[in-house]
Amino acid sequence: MKIANEIKNYQNVINGNRTHSSSGKQIDSIDPSTGNVWATIPCSTVEDAESAVLSARNAFEGWSSLSAIERADYLRRIGDLIVQHGEELAELETRDNGWVIRETSYGLIPSLASYWYDAAGATAVGSKGDTVQLGSTSVGYTLREPFGVIVGILPWNAPLFTFTVKAAYALAAGNTIIIKPSELASVSSLRYGELINEILPPGVLNVVSGDGVEVGSTLVSHPLVNRVSLTGSGATARSIAQSTAGNPKPMTFELGGKSPNIVFEDADLEKAAQGVTLNGIFTGNAGQLCTGGSRILIQRSIFEDMISKMKEVMTEYNKLGDPMHPESAMGPIANAIHYEKVCSYIELGKKEGGEIILGGRHGGQNLLPDSPHLSEGYWVEPTLIKVTSNSLRICQEEIFGPVATVIPFDTEEEAISMANDTAYGLGAGVWTTNLNRAHRMIRKLESGNVWVNTFRTVGPELPFGGHKSSGYGVDSVLEFTREKTCYIEIG
C-alpha cells in the first residue's frame, strides 16, 4: 500500500473541541481511486464514546430550552456556513469515498444546505401540540418534547447527506446528537462536525470515529442515549437491536434495497433508458446507493430495443475516471472490502447462468490503462447481466455497486409479482405513459418510495423510508420528538 505525500490527521469533535483518541491510535483513510493512504482518523475508544455521550447530555438542557425561533436561527446559520465551505466539503467527500466531484460539488452541497434551511423552518412543527375540550370542566392537550441524546450511525457511501438529515432534524426538535461515521469514510464527517461547531454551543453536536463494534456499540447501548438513527446494513441493524435489548429505545432504521426499475412498452424509451442507467444504478458513486435500481424489468415486446438504447446511453455518457476530474461520470468502489464483494457478485452472475451484455471487467489496470496513478484503485465497470429468473442470488441479494440484472416480463401482473419478490422494499421505479397503470403500480408495489418516469428524486418536501427488510421510520422533526398527553380538570 502506498502512502500519499501529505497525510492530514483529522480529529473527533467532542464538547465543541477537536480531540484525539484517548488511545492515541489512528486509522488510515484510503483514497479508493488510487488505493493510497491520504489521511488518518481517530481510532476512538469506549472512553471517547462515553465522553461524547456526557457532553451531549450536559448540553441538552440548554439546547432544548431554547425557543423554536432561536434554534431555527442556529440552523439557518449552519446552512449558510455549508455553502461557504462547499468546495472543501465536496473535495473531502470525493477523496474519501470516490463519489465524483461533479456530483458532490453541484448536487450534494446545495442539497445539504437546503436540508438545514428546511429543518430551521420545521422547528415550529416540532413544538406544536393539540388541544382537546374533553368536557365542560376538563381540557386535554398534547406536548411534543425532544427525546434527549440521539445517536446517528452513518454509512460509508453518503456520509455528508446522512449526517445532515439526521443532525438537522434532531437538532430542530431540541435534541442533542452524536454522529458516528463509518470508519471506512469518516474524514468529511469529522470536518463537517468542526464547521458546525463554529456555530453551535459546545456539546450540542459531537462526532466520534472508530470501530463500530467498540465505539458504535457503546454509543447505542448507553443508558443516557435516548434514540438511535441508523443508515446502514441489515446486519448492523440486527447488532444494534441486540445490543439495546437490555435498554430498549426508539430507533429509525434506513437499510438496504434491491429496487426494481420497471419499463413498460408504452414508456418514453429514450427517457427510460437514461433513467434506469445513469439515474438508476450507474451513478457517480458507482451504484453504491441503497435505492439503486439494480433489477431492471423490461416488457418483452420492447426488450431488445430497450437494451440497445441503454447501451447507447452508457457509451455516450458514462466515463470512468479520476473522481476529482470534473468530466468523470463514475468513480471507484469506496473501499477494498466492498470491491472484492462486488467483483465476486459479477462472477456469481456468470455461474448462475447470467449473460453479461455490458461491462463485467474490473481493476484499474484493465479499465484505466492510460492513468497509471489509478491502477491500484477499486474500479468496476458498469455491468448489465441478462437473466431469465428473479430467483437468482444476484437478483435477491444487495450487491451495492454498478451491477444490475435485466429481466424480461410479459404482463403488468407479472411485473408486480417479480418486483415484490424480494426481502427489500425501499424504492421502485415505473416507466409508463399510462396514468391508470402508474396509479395501480404505486398501490401494489411493496416499497416505501415509488418514482414514476423518474428515479431517486429526494428532497426535504417528502419523507424517505423503507418497508420490509429495508427498515422503518424516517429522519424528520416529528420522529425526533415524543408526544406527552396532559389532562386538566378546571371545574
Side-chain angles (χ1 to χ4, degrees):
M1 180 184 295
K2 297 180 181 179
I3 307 295
N5 292 330
E6 294 184 14
I7 302 295
K8 184 168 182 180
N9 301 315
Y10 288 83
Q11 298 179 37
N12 293 326
V13 184
I14 300 175
N15 201 35
N17 299 313
R18 298 172 69 243
T19 62
H20 293 290
S21 166
S22 59
S23 69
K25 296 180 180 178
Q26 296 286 107
I27 298 173
D28 289 337
S29 185
I30 309 298
D31 181 335
S33 69
T34 64
N36 297 341
V37 178
W38 73 283
T40 63
I41 62 172
C43 182
S44 300
T45 64
V46 170
E47 290 74 18
D48 298 321
E50 291 180 342
S51 177
V53 173
L54 291 176
S55 172
R57 171 55 60 182
N58 291 335
F60 172 68
E61 183 175 354
W63 179 252
S64 61
S65 65
L66 295 178
S67 69
I69 293 175
E70 290 172 317
R71 288 199 299 274
D73 180 61
Y74 278 106
L75 302 188
R76 278 190 291 269
R77 288 163 57 196
I78 292 173
D80 293 341
L81 189 68
I82 299 313
V83 173
Q84 295 168 20
H85 289 267
E87 183 178 351
E88 176 193 4
L89 291 169
E91 290 180 357
L92 291 177
E93 187 88 330
T94 294
R95 194 81 185 272
D96 214 22
N97 71 4
W99 194 348
V100 292
I101 193 69
R102 75 180 193 183
E103 291 192 7
T104 57
S105 293
Y106 302 111
L108 176 64
I109 298 303
S111 174
L112 302 186
S114 71
Y115 274 93
W116 284 105
Y117 297 141
D118 183 75
T123 56
V125 176
S127 302
K128 290 182 179 179
D130 296 313
T131 301
V132 179
Q133 187 69 42
L134 299 173
S136 61
T137 62
S138 59
V139 66
Y141 68 92
T142 61
L143 294 172
R144 285 207 167 269
E145 300 178 334
F147 281 92
V149 177
I150 308 293
V151 166
I153 308 292
L154 309 186
W156 43 257
N157 66 311
L160 286 182
F161 180 79
T162 49
F163 185 131
T164 298
V165 295
K166 295 181 193 309
Y169 294 106
L171 297 179
N175 302 282
T176 54
I177 190 166
I178 304 159
I179 293 293
K180 165 59 177 73
S182 167
E183 59 270 30
L184 298 174
S186 290
V187 170
S188 60
S189 295
L190 292 169
R191 178 58 179 148
Y192 202 36
E194 289 179 18
L195 291 172
I196 292 171
N197 268 273
E198 293 180 11
I199 304 293
L200 294 175
V204 171
L205 183 143
N206 307 270
V207 187
V208 183
S209 70
D211 179 70
V213 174
E214 182 172 6
V215 178
S217 296
T218 300
L219 290 173
V220 300
S221 62
H222 200 288
L224 294 181
V225 167
N226 305 102
R227 188 179 180 96
V228 175
S229 177
L230 162 75
T231 299
S233 69
T236 303
R238 289 188 290 273
S239 176
I240 291 174
Q242 291 171 0
S243 66
T244 58
N247 181 26
K249 58 195 68 179
M251 299 184 189
T252 299
F253 285 161
E254 197 265 275
L255 309 177
K258 195 68 180 176
S259 301
N261 225 338
I262 308 164
V263 184
F264 287 96
E265 60 187 0
D266 62 10
D268 179 333
L269 299 191
E270 301 289 342
K271 185 176 180 181
Q274 290 207 29
V276 301
T277 54
L278 303 183
N279 294 339
I281 188 67
F282 302 131
T283 57
N285 62 344
Q288 297 166 105
L289 62 165
C290 52
T291 54
S294 55
R295 292 184 298 146
I296 304 172
L297 282 55
I298 305 173
Q299 200 154 24
R300 198 177 303 274
S301 59
I302 58 165
F303 190 81
E304 295 302 329
D305 189 18
M306 185 65 184
I307 294 297
S308 177
K309 291 183 183 302
M310 290 162 62
K311 289 181 178 179
E312 290 175 6
V313 169
M314 295 305 296
T315 300
E316 182 175 357
Y317 293 106
N318 207 278
K319 179 182 178 182
L320 269 70
D322 188 337
M324 296 298 291
H325 195 288
E327 293 184 4
S328 297
M330 181 184 287
I333 300 300
N335 57 76
I337 296 173
H338 193 60
Y339 171 72
E340 295 298 333
K341 176 185 175 182
V342 173
C343 293
S344 72
Y345 269 108
I346 294 175
E347 297 306 310
L348 176 62
K350 298 176 186 178
K351 292 179 182 178
E352 290 190 310
E355 175 189 353
I356 293 182
I357 58 177
L358 180 72
R361 299 180 300 159
H362 50 83
Q365 293 178 330
N366 297 323
L367 300 178
L368 300 163
D370 297 330
S371 302
H373 67 293
L374 304 177
S375 63
E376 300 300 318
Y378 313 131
W379 297 94
V380 173
E381 191 173 26
T383 301
L384 286 173
I385 305 177
K386 179 182 175 181
V387 300
T388 57
S389 171
N390 188 58
S391 63
L392 303 182
R393 283 182 57 193
I394 57 171
C395 298
Q396 292 292 321
E397 299 175 12
E398 186 177 36
I399 299 174
F400 212 66
V403 181
T405 56
V406 186
I407 315 173
F409 69 88
D410 291 299
T411 67
E412 182 179 314
E413 291 72 24
E414 183 183 4
I416 293 168
S417 176
M418 199 180 301
N420 291 338
D421 180 24
T422 174
Y424 297 103
L426 188 58
V430 178
W431 299 86
T432 180
T433 56
N434 185 321
L435 183 61
N436 291 336
R437 169 179 284 153
H439 283 291
R440 287 195 300 269
M441 295 296 292
I442 290 170
R443 290 178 178 273
K444 293 181 180 180
L445 288 170
E446 297 171 353
S447 176
N449 306 273
V450 180
W451 295 277
V452 177
N453 297 326
T454 184
F455 199 76
R456 289 198 309 114
T457 302
V458 298
E461 302 88 353
L462 291 169
F464 180 86
H467 294 177
K468 299 160 64 173
S469 293
S470 291
Y472 51 82
V474 296
D475 288 321
S476 70
V477 69
L478 291 182
E479 288 268 341
F480 285 119
T481 62
R482 55 190 173 196
E483 205 166 25
K484 177 182 289 183
T485 299
C486 309
Y487 295 88
I488 302 176
E489 182 63 40
I490 58 177

